[in-house]
Amino acid sequence: MKKTILILLVFCSSMSYAQEKKIEIDYVVDYVIPNNRTQAMDTVSIGFNKDGKFLWTNASVLAKKLADTKFMSKANNSENSEINLLYNTIDNKVLFSIIFGDNEIYANMDMASIIPINSENSFDEDINLLVIPLSEKESMFERAVSVFELYPEEESNEGLRIILDENHYCNNNTYTSGFIDLMLKMTSSTGNIKFDIPNGLFLKAYDLNDNLLIEAINVNTDKKTIILNYNFQIKE
């Protein structure tokens, strides 16, 4: 019996070690987003892995929204809530932990399998997304940064402008591929979207009528390491 327990403990220990993951977050950017309902600005912090593989946030506004749902109705005061959410753009999975008082929830979810499919906006043709660099520069954080227009080749009036800091490398094609792949699955589309977005840290976006969509107010370049350890051990 003791020998069997020892073998199981060794197995569990090796599994725990093998399943530990370290995720590097190279930049954390604080953004403001206009809230049309409150006529104020919401603030959210997003961490970027420069290779485009992961996005991380611990935005309290997400936890508070979850705390207000019926599912969390018995949780403690949402003011003390804490959330960490890590989005894997390669396989469209979300790892998150939520803490409400004495309640702790951890999950690893495949987004494509849990988001309802809505085929009303599906498309079968290929779309070419043009990314046009503009000659104008915009000043942010005391330096000039690049401005680009993005729009479908057949609908030049349906697009937006984005500002990228090309001094901070960030693989935007990998990020965008993950989001587009998820969108195609969510809409049961058989078409594809072709694009080539320059590398650079995303700072700002606004529509072609100059309405602000999102803007960075702070950039932290101190690297963070997120350690994930799926650890379930039984000891006797």
Side-chain angles (χ1 to χ4, degrees):
M1 181 65 179
K2 289 183 178 180
K3 185 176 180 180
T4 302
I5 293 175
L6 180 62
I7 293 173
L8 288 173
L9 288 175
V10 171
F11 175 75
C12 289
S13 298
S14 63
M15 287 296 290
S16 297
Y17 177 81
Q19 289 177 342
E20 181 175 279
K21 295 181 181 180
K22 292 184 178 181
I23 308 299
E24 300 294 336
I25 299 297
D26 299 283
Y27 318 108
V28 177
V29 184
D30 299 330
Y31 295 98
V32 290
I33 304 171
N35 187 321
N36 294 329
R37 183 177 61 84
T38 63
Q39 298 300 306
M41 290 287 191
D42 291 335
T43 303
V44 61
S45 297
I46 299 176
F48 294 84
N49 167 263
K50 67 181 181 181
D51 294 323
K53 297 179 181 179
F54 298 97
L55 291 172
W56 165 77
T57 185
N58 61 353
S60 60
V61 65
L62 298 177
K64 290 176 181 178
K65 286 184 180 296
L66 285 171
D68 291 335
T69 64
K70 291 183 178 180
F71 179 66
M72 293 294 179
S73 61
K74 294 185 179 180
N76 288 341
N77 190 342
S78 62
E79 292 298 323
N80 298 321
S81 59
E82 178 184 334
I83 184 171
N84 278 283
L85 185 149
L86 184 71
Y87 175 51
N88 185 329
T89 63
I90 302 300
D91 58 15
N92 277 314
K93 286 189 175 181
V94 169
L95 294 164
F96 72 84
S97 70
I98 307 174
I99 300 175
F100 297 97
D102 295 331
N103 304 282
E104 298 182 16
I105 299 174
Y106 301 90
N108 180 10
M109 303 185 301
D110 179 6
M111 297 300 291
S113 65
I114 65 173
I115 295 179
I117 294 177
N118 184 352
S119 58
E120 290 183 5
N121 296 317
S122 66
F123 59 92
D124 302 324
E125 69 278 7
D126 288 343
I127 296 175
N128 188 23
L129 181 65
L130 299 181
V131 183
I132 309 298
L134 303 184
S135 58
E136 66 187 70
K137 298 284 186 176
E138 187 159 331
S139 179
M140 294 186 70
F141 305 109
E142 300 181 344
R143 61 179 178 271
V145 287
S146 302
V147 183
F148 300 86
E149 281 193 356
L150 285 74
Y151 53 83
E153 187 174 20
E154 303 299 327
E155 300 179 76
S156 59
N157 61 329
E158 296 290 335
L160 52 83
R161 294 188 183 95
I162 63 170
I163 293 175
L164 303 175
D165 185 352
E166 296 176 290
N167 290 323
H168 290 115
Y169 174 81
C170 204
N171 191 328
N172 292 310
N173 280 334
T174 301
Y175 279 126
T176 308
S177 294
F179 288 123
I180 287 180
D181 180 63
L182 180 60
M183 183 199 70
L184 295 175
K185 291 178 180 177
M186 288 169 54
T187 57
S188 294
S189 297
T190 58
N192 198 10
I193 299 178
K194 301 177 182 178
F195 58 90
D196 186 12
I197 301 176
N199 296 321
L201 186 61
F202 172 70
L203 296 180
K204 187 177 180 180
Y206 46 98
D207 64 25
L208 298 183
N209 294 319
D210 292 328
N211 296 310
L212 179 67
L213 303 175
I214 184 172
E215 181 176 6
I217 57 173
N218 184 64
V219 176
N220 186 341
T221 58
D222 294 334
K223 183 176 290 188
K224 295 179 181 292
T225 300
I226 299 175
I227 299 175
L228 305 172
N229 190 353
Y230 309 103
N231 193 356
F232 191 104
Q233 295 187 19
I234 300 176
K235 295 183 179 180
E236 294 189 15

